[in-house]
Amino acid sequence: MPYDTLYELPAAVKENLPKHAQEIYKEAFNSAWDEYADPEKRRDDASREETAHRVAWAAVKHSYQKIDGKWAKK
């Protein structure tokens, strides 16, 4: 289920990430949702949604890091 707005993101994302990181998450999730529609492209029998969330978190971690419990831009 792709996200149209930041408001639709999971609570863990909205409550912890800065707005820019939320935007990265949303775009990466939506892209991965499309890219991994075929189950053969996914690892470990993961669902399409689980795979998209993993990709989205990886995208956020590329630009942000957690310091003292808060996410900050690298």
Side-chain angles (χ1 to χ4, degrees), residues 37-57:
D38 181 358
E40 293 181 11
K41 290 186 172 185
R42 298 180 221 143
R43 295 183 186 168
D44 306 325
D45 295 325
S47 71
R48 185 178 184 185
E49 185 170 6
E50 182 179 1
T51 299
H53 283 297
R54 287 179 183 173
V55 169
W57 276 113

Side-chain angles (χ1 to χ4, degrees), residues 7-71:
Y7 178 76
E8 298 172 337
L9 292 173
V13 174
K14 291 188 299 185
E15 293 170 3
N16 291 297
L17 296 179
K19 184 177 179 183
H20 181 248
Q22 291 179 36
E23 292 167 349
I24 291 170
Y25 188 97
K26 181 177 82 71
E27 294 304 316
F29 181 95
N30 290 348
S31 178
W33 180 265
D34 293 337
E35 184 175 345
Y36 294 103
D38 181 358
E40 293 181 11
K41 290 186 172 185
R42 298 180 221 143
R43 295 183 186 168
D44 306 325
D45 295 325
S47 71
R48 185 178 184 185
E49 185 170 6
E50 182 179 1
T51 299
H53 283 297
R54 287 179 183 173
V55 169
W57 276 113
V60 168
K61 290 176 182 177
H62 183 74
S63 298
Y64 284 81
Q65 61 187 346
K66 204 168 191 181
I67 301 173
D68 296 328
K70 294 190 178 193
W71 289 94

